[in-house]
């Protein structure tokens, strides 16, 4: 297959085969390998082990995956079908608890079954396919719009720092934090992007550097502890990051290390932008203290990527996958509806009131 990851969707739906198709991100940057999944356990495993990762991509993958699982259920028993759909939904939702898009997309799929109580199982299978397709298509459109709005905040030739991977590999297409860069490239603009390697799972080194290079972007990889140094030198005009869950007051959970970058950006007077699809804003969550932070195995810190363990056997390890950046460190949120400035609580409430009004 074509190894250029920018030429294919990160998450796809094979409607003929009834399968979820993902790029296995644990094999990047060395190999571009596609996985075809249709069983609940393998979809859970792919999400948990970050074969597919990034909040929007996880949501789309779970929706398509749930459809693929349901497609294989027997046609006769409607009650049994809905019971199994809900069981698999709850199971998949537990794979990555911080990324709100996972629960959000699965809720949308479940609602299809609940809202169509008269439909037969074959009809429900078609409706679930349409919903999964809609979730995927919306993700692409939302990311493109975030890219457009984000591009209004940056100039040709700017230095931009990013953390983790909130690019095309974290969504179906374009990404969120890297969408303005990809769109700018389409229009002949050039940027100098500094990508934090992002310990412990190296999403910056393995994924952001990979996709930016594939798009011809001038990319410089730095260790996480080098951000202050490049900012001090005046090489960074803006920071762009993604998010896994934004609370109603603007507190933002994103990849571990993001809050440190935000503190540095404030120190050096550099704008800190969070690119957030509205599906990642959780109005039911009042503030960052209410966000559940996923903790992962210690071996990701002590031995993953190394030829031999790099810490004494039995050492205690604390490995939170995300941290919370307080709202007052965020310059603005870039959503698919525009750029939101503080105070974020009222800005979010107004946005959702207008959005719900339009959709209702
Ligand atoms: O653990 P990961 O790789 O799923 O974490 C991803 C991030 O933290 C991203 O910044 C976030 O999901 C936004 S992706 C558009």
């Amino acid at each position: 297959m074509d190894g250029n990851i920018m030429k294919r969707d990160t998450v796809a739906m094979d409607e003929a085969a009834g399968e979820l198709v993902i790029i296995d991100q644990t094999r990047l940057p060395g190999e571009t390998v596609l996985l075809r999944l249709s069983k609940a356990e393998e979809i859970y495993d792919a999400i948990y082990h970050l074969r597919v990762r990034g909040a929007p991509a996880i949501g789309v993958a779970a929706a398509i995956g749930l459809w693929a699982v349901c497609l294989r259920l027997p046609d006769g028993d409607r009650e049994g079908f809905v019971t199994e759909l809900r069981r698999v939904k709850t199971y998949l939702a537990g794979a990555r608890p911080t990324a709100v898009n996972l629960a959000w997309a699965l809720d949308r799929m479940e609602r299809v079954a609940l809202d169509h109580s008269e439909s037969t199982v074959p009809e429900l299978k078609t409706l679930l396919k349409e919903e999964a397709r809609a979730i995927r298509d919306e993700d692409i459109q939302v990311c493109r719009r975030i890219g457009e709005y984000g591009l209004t905040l940056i100039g040709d030739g700017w230095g931009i720092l990013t953390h983790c991977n909130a690019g095309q590999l974290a969504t179906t297409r374009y990404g969120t934090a890297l969408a303005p860069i990809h769109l700018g490239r389409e229009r002949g603009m050039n940027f100098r992007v500094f990508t934090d390697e992002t310990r412990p799972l190296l999403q910056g080194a393995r994924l952001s550097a990979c996709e930016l290079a594939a798009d011809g972007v001038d990319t410089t990889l730095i260790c996480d502890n080098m951000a202050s140094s490049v900012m001090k030198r005046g090489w960074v005009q803006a920071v762009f990051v993604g998010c896994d869950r934004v609370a109603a007051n603007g507190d933002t959970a994103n990849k571990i290390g993001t809050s440190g970058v935000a503190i540095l950006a404030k120190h050096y007077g550099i704008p800190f932008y969070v690119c957030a699809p509205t599906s990642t804003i959780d109005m039911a969550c009042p503030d960052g203290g209410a966000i559940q932070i996923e903790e992962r195995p210690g071996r990701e810190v002590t031995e993953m990527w190394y030829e031999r363990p790099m810490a004494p056997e039995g050492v205690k390890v604390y490995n939170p996958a995300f941290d919370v950046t307080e709202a007052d460190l965020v310059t603005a949120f870039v959503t698919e509806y525009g750029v939101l400035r503080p105070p974020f609580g009222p800005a979010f409430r107004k946005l959702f009131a207008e959005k719900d009004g339009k959709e209702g």
Side-chain angles (χ1 to χ4, degrees):
M1 62 166 283
D2 188 333
N4 186 343
I5 43 167
M6 297 306 288
K7 289 198 179 149
R8 68 168 53 244
D9 290 351
T10 300
V11 184
M13 183 173 183
D14 184 335
E15 295 194 19
E19 289 169 340
L20 162 67
V21 184
I22 57 167
I23 298 174
D24 183 350
Q25 300 193 34
T26 62
R27 308 283 288 270
L28 292 171
E31 298 166 287
T32 306
V33 175
L34 294 186
L35 296 179
R36 300 183 152 271
L37 312 173
S38 58
K39 295 193 184 76
E41 293 70 25
E42 59 191 16
I43 295 162
Y44 180 99
D45 177 85
I47 295 173
Y48 179 76
H49 286 109
L50 279 70
R51 299 187 205 293
V52 57
R53 33 67 52 202
I58 293 171
V60 176
I64 298 174
L66 185 57
W67 159 72
V69 171
C70 289
L71 199 58
R72 286 160 175 79
L73 297 177
D75 278 341
D77 172 13
R78 188 187 191 282
E79 204 183 308
F81 179 87
V82 175
T83 304
E84 184 59 5
L85 181 154
R86 298 181 88 174
R87 187 193 69 77
V88 175
K89 179 211 146 182
T90 306
Y91 169 62
L92 294 179
R96 303 283 318 264
T98 307
V100 69
N101 299 61
L102 177 58
W104 169 87
L106 289 166
D107 282 346
R108 271 184 64 166
M109 295 295 281
E110 180 185 35
R111 216 171 307 126
V112 167
L114 301 182
D115 288 351
H116 294 86
S117 51
E118 304 303 316
S119 301
T120 62
V121 170
E123 285 165 349
L124 284 180
K125 288 180 178 176
T126 303
L127 290 166
L128 288 169
K129 176 169 74 180
E130 285 164 3
E131 190 68 1
R133 205 194 276 147
I135 290 170
R136 178 207 56 195
D137 291 348
E138 285 167 29
D139 181 49
I140 297 170
Q141 287 157 17
V142 161
C143 288
R144 177 113 198 154
R145 280 159 62 185
I146 287 175
E148 295 285 0
Y149 285 117
L151 201 49
T152 65
L153 301 169
I154 56 182
D156 199 10
W158 277 28
I160 291 161
L161 186 137
T162 191
H163 189 75
C164 193
N165 173 267
Q168 171 146 315
L169 287 166
T171 64
T172 310
R173 222 177 279 170
Y174 304 114
T176 60
L178 299 187
I181 309 218
H182 292 311
L183 260 59
R185 288 290 298 156
E186 267 181 31
R187 290 165 198 176
M189 294 169 80
N190 290 300
F191 308 106
R192 185 178 185 197
V193 178
F194 293 91
T195 171
D196 286 348
E197 70 171 347
T198 318
R199 286 278 295 152
L201 294 184
L202 307 183
Q203 290 91 333
R206 294 187 302 108
L207 308 177
S208 291
C210 182
E211 79 166 67
L212 288 166
D215 201 21
V217 178
D218 177 344
T219 309
T220 304
L221 176 64
I222 57 171
C223 297
D224 298 339
N225 52 7
M226 297 170 188
S228 175
S229 184
V230 298
M231 287 180 178
K232 192 171 191 166
R233 286 174 182 275
W235 292 347
V236 179
Q237 279 66 58
V239 175
F240 275 75
V241 295
C243 50
D244 277 78
R245 190 182 295 253
V246 179
N249 71 343
D251 288 352
T252 297
N254 191 50
K255 180 50 54 194
I256 189 72
T258 303
S259 67
V261 176
I263 291 165
L264 289 174
K266 183 166 188 167
H267 177 78
Y268 290 109
I270 297 167
F272 181 89
Y273 297 116
V274 176
C275 293
T278 49
S279 54
T280 313
I281 302 174
D282 182 0
M283 294 302 278
C285 178
D287 56 43
I291 300 177
Q292 183 187 349
I293 300 293
E294 174 188 354
E295 281 193 38
R296 297 190 58 89
R299 62 167 296 278
E300 291 181 349
V301 177
T302 55
E303 52 194 278
M304 212 164 168
W305 319 116
Y306 298 124
E307 282 181 5
R308 55 193 160 81
M310 279 294 142
E313 205 181 321
V315 70
K316 280 196 283 180
V317 177
Y318 174 51
N319 183 18
F322 302 96
D323 63 18
V324 174
T325 298
E326 278 81 29
D328 64 359
L329 295 171
V330 178
T331 307
F333 285 92
V334 185
T335 75
E336 71 272 31
Y337 294 99
V339 177
L340 303 186
R341 306 257 172 200
F344 296 121
F348 289 165
R349 285 196 292 279
K350 183 165 175 285
L351 171 69
F352 280 102
E354 285 172 5
K355 182 173 174 277
D356 294 346
K358 261 187 222 150
E359 285 172 4

